[in-house]
Amino acid sequence: MASYKLIVKDVIRKADVLLEVVDARFPDETRNSEVEAEIINAKKSFIIVMSKCDLVSQDILERNKSRLSKIAPTVFISAKQRFGTTMLRHKILEIANVKGSDIVVGIVGYPNTGKSSVINGVAGRHKAGTSSISGHTKGIQIVNAGSRIRFIDTPGIIPFDEHDEYMQGILGIKDSTHLKDPTGVALKIIEKVCSVNKTALESFYKIVIDNEDSYGILELIGKQTNCLKKKGEIDDTRVSIRIINDWQRGLLLM
């Protein structure tokens, strides 16, 4: 973890503007307060970029943007749908306060939040390497995005005290094959989606949720998707892996 701290400090020192890329489904959980404090202490400007906004309803996006904008300028984008990248470019140029030279933009965030996709979206062409496997960016890369913008791309930054497997599963840092407790992760996903948009869960799995708790909902999904054992009991592991995969692949929306 010491190496990550050194990378962060170096990127903050070299950058004119920082982008903190967060997952639009979990903007608070994917913010890093320690990194933000480093940026503020260095007296650098930063923008919160909510990526993967195509996975979240417009109402939720607007509420979170309004709230996070009190902390720093906030933009939501979908690199997949090429939405919001022009707005982000304009916001970078607006707050950089750099005249007569290129603007150096540092980009930081958790693994798998879409940092490289944000760079490619702003650049308008395939510049930074992207992959669905977290940790694809192995070292610092310099990316020319045109119109005076140059990115410093970094490996995903894991919080310095992060040991929570549930969050690693929810954020896609670990896939279903590497989780010790897939059922626990699936239950967390169910709780999160239900707390924000229960209808999305009902619609996707074609179930009706009344007063069931998260495990009761998992059982409903198991029955509906035929994730059953020989005696007709719910196969917790199979249905949990299905829910995790649907979530991490962006099929289950909020």
Side-chain angles (χ1 to χ4, degrees), residues 89-110:
R89 176 184 286 276
H90 290 164
K91 184 61 69 175
I92 291 169
L93 294 170
E94 176 188 326
I95 73 168
N97 196 28
V98 174
K99 298 179 180 179
S101 62
D102 287 350
I103 300 166
V104 179
V105 181
I107 185 162
V108 295
Y110 282 73

Side-chain angles (χ1 to χ4, degrees), residues 169-237:
I170 288 171
L171 299 176
I173 296 169
K174 287 185 177 181
D175 63 28
S176 59
T177 63
H178 292 90
L179 294 168
K180 296 177 182 177
D181 182 15
T183 299
V185 173
L187 292 175
K188 293 286 187 183
I189 292 170
I190 290 170
E191 289 172 9
K192 179 65 176 181
V193 178
C194 279
S195 70
V196 176
N197 189 0
K198 183 181 74 170
T199 304
L201 199 66
E202 292 179 314
S203 176
F204 186 76
Y205 289 112
K206 297 179 173 57
I207 59 174
V208 176
I209 300 171
D210 291 319
N211 298 315
E212 291 87 359
D213 59 13
S214 56
Y215 186 78
I217 296 170
L218 183 138
E219 289 186 313
L220 289 176
I221 297 171
K223 291 175 183 176
Q224 184 65 20
T225 57
N226 201 33
C227 290
L228 306 173
K229 298 179 180 178
K230 288 183 178 180
K231 294 183 179 180
E233 298 175 352
I234 301 298
D235 189 329
D236 290 357
T237 302

